[in-house]
Amino acid sequence: MKRIAVTGGAGFLGSHLCERLLKEGNYVISIDNFFTGLKENIYHLKDNANFEIIRHDITEPMHIECDEIYNFACPASPIHYQRNPVHTFKTSVLGILNMLDLARNCGAKILQASTSEVYGDPLEHPQNESYWGHVNPNGIRSCYDEGKRGAETLMMDYHRKYNTDIKIIRIFNTYGPRMNENDGRVVSNFVIQALKNIPITVYGDGSQTRSFCYCEDLIDGAVKMMNSENFIGPVNLGNPFEITVLEFAETIIKMTNSKSEIVFKDLPKDDPVKRQPDIRLAQEKLNWSPKYKLEDGLKKTIEYFDNYLKRK
């Protein structure tokens, strides 16, 4: 039985990861400061004898015994990471420093959940891992974009200097049950607005594109990456199926039988115009490709939010 630490374990993706690792017979330690993570996300796991919950902010050092570390701690939506941009940057940079030191002390393997935002508003399409990105270093999104880029730098430097066993994944837009209702991301926004039959807010003219990956597929890729041999990444994990934001809004309206109208607002500053992963490296090195079609994942997500709103 491996002892596995998951930072951000009470978050949207972190909670799904904890669930998956427990099913595989591991002892799992969820580490979360509950800034955006929710106790309800891991409530169903609390009585599992192999599950431990630690309330801790990874900007502070910590000392536990573990074999693997999945670093998923960091607000991931613009509303949340811009609420306290200094702390967001500290979570990415000081947080990964503390986790890398923990990995060194334990002799543990460590996986960094990086992001497609390291590519910024890309000039290359689709984005592959060799692309260095087009990132504004001093904009309102920089605390997250540059924080994640800095975290990748530290991962590589620890690997080169201390031979730390590292893995880097770059997560593209991911959705599914347990997304935060108020995180401002396009999937949760559109689904909730549609279920409430209120106007669906599209920023810009809706021609910007996104590629949405269902959470179960993403977690499968992360676990495969952690268990891979002789491959440290970075590697893109996402669904290459590309759709415009306007088409996505229309899909949500149709799937929810909503009476919502679509309204248009100004595009936020530095918002990426195109986002699509090149996943050939993940296919080659991890034998990984997403299995969920968009409509199948949306059915589960819509059902989750429908039940959530009825409980409120």
Side-chain angles (χ1 to χ4, degrees):
M1 180 182 287
K2 290 186 289 189
R3 288 177 59 89
I4 304 178
V6 178
T7 71
F12 158 48
L13 286 177
S15 62
H16 286 285
L17 178 58
C18 288
E19 207 169 49
R20 164 73 179 263
L21 295 172
L22 285 168
K23 284 180 181 177
E24 293 184 348
N26 302 292
Y27 187 91
V28 178
I29 306 161
S30 167
I31 302 163
D32 206 300
N33 66 352
F34 298 100
F35 181 71
T36 56
L38 299 172
K39 292 178 182 177
E40 300 86 75
N41 287 343
I42 52 174
Y43 187 80
H44 63 295
L45 304 176
K46 68 180 179 63
D47 294 328
N48 190 315
N50 294 326
F51 186 58
E52 183 178 346
I53 301 171
I54 298 177
R55 185 173 193 137
H56 180 80
D57 189 321
I58 63 165
T59 61
E60 301 293 334
M62 71 181 307
H63 306 283
I64 58 172
E65 292 298 323
C66 57
D67 303 302
E68 294 176 355
I69 302 165
Y70 286 83
N71 186 41
F72 274 69
C74 190
S77 73
I79 283 179
H80 289 148
Y81 67 63
Q82 291 170 19
R83 182 167 50 161
N84 191 337
V86 174
H87 191 267
T88 296
F89 194 80
K90 288 169 69 175
T91 301
S92 288
V93 177
L94 295 181
I96 195 61
L97 272 171
N98 289 327
M99 291 303 103
L100 282 163
D101 285 338
L102 176 62
R104 284 189 70 204
N105 292 336
C106 294
K109 193 188 307 185
I110 180 169
L111 180 144
Q112 165 65 4
S114 190
T115 171
S116 61
E117 296 301 326
V118 300
Y119 300 122
D121 187 6
L123 302 179
E124 292 189 11
H125 189 74
Q127 296 81 57
N128 66 49
E129 294 83 355
S130 64
Y131 178 50
W132 290 354
H134 178 235
V135 180
N136 180 353
N138 50 32
I140 58 173
R141 301 171 68 100
S142 305
C143 60
Y144 184 70
D145 301 1
E146 296 288 34
K148 289 288 191 177
R149 286 162 69 94
E152 287 196 19
T153 299
L154 288 164
M155 288 281 285
M156 293 302 300
D157 285 340
Y158 266 65
H159 176 67
R160 285 186 285 252
K161 186 171 178 61
Y162 305 117
N163 202 31
T164 305
D165 196 350
I166 69 164
K167 306 284 183 180
I168 301 172
I169 62 173
R170 290 176 177 165
I171 299 174
F172 282 68
N173 293 68
T174 304
Y175 70 99
R178 300 185 206 142
M179 292 186 80
N180 192 309
E181 174 192 7
N182 300 312
D183 69 3
R185 290 192 239 192
V186 65
V187 176
S188 51
N189 273 3
F190 286 6
V191 170
I192 288 173
Q193 288 168 344
L195 289 171
K196 290 182 174 180
N197 292 303
I198 61 176
I200 289 182
T201 307
V202 170
Y203 293 98
D205 62 5
S207 63
Q208 66 271 35
T209 67
R210 294 293 181 268
S211 304
F212 299 104
C213 183
Y214 188 62
C215 55
E216 193 173 310
D217 282 331
L218 188 284
I219 295 305
D220 186 54
V223 172
K224 282 188 172 183
M225 181 60 171
M226 180 65 92
N227 295 328
S228 64
E229 298 289 338
N230 303 314
F231 180 53
I232 64 173
V235 64
N236 291 336
L237 295 181
N239 193 321
F241 175 74
E242 188 179 18
I243 186 171
T244 69
V245 171
L246 183 57
E247 288 172 328
F248 185 68
E250 291 167 345
T251 300
I252 297 293
I253 289 172
K254 182 178 179 181
M255 291 185 68
T256 55
N257 295 313
S258 177
K259 298 174 183 176
S260 297
E261 296 180 355
I262 296 173
V263 297
F264 297 88
K265 294 190 176 181
D266 291 340
L267 195 67
K269 185 173 173 53
D270 298 329
D271 198 54
V273 175
K274 288 189 176 292
R275 182 70 82 224
Q276 183 191 28
D278 180 337
I279 62 167
R280 286 176 294 178
L281 191 61
Q283 291 169 326
E284 176 192 342
K285 297 290 188 180
L286 307 177
N287 192 28
W288 177 87
S289 293
K291 298 174 183 175
Y292 275 85
K293 293 181 179 178
L294 181 62
E295 288 77 8
D296 295 333
L298 284 177
K299 284 179 185 176
K300 292 176 177 284
T301 308
I302 290 167
E303 182 182 0
Y304 167 79
F305 276 116
D306 191 32
N307 291 330
Y308 172 81
L309 291 173
K310 287 173 180 175
R311 292 196 306 268
K312 287 186 69 177

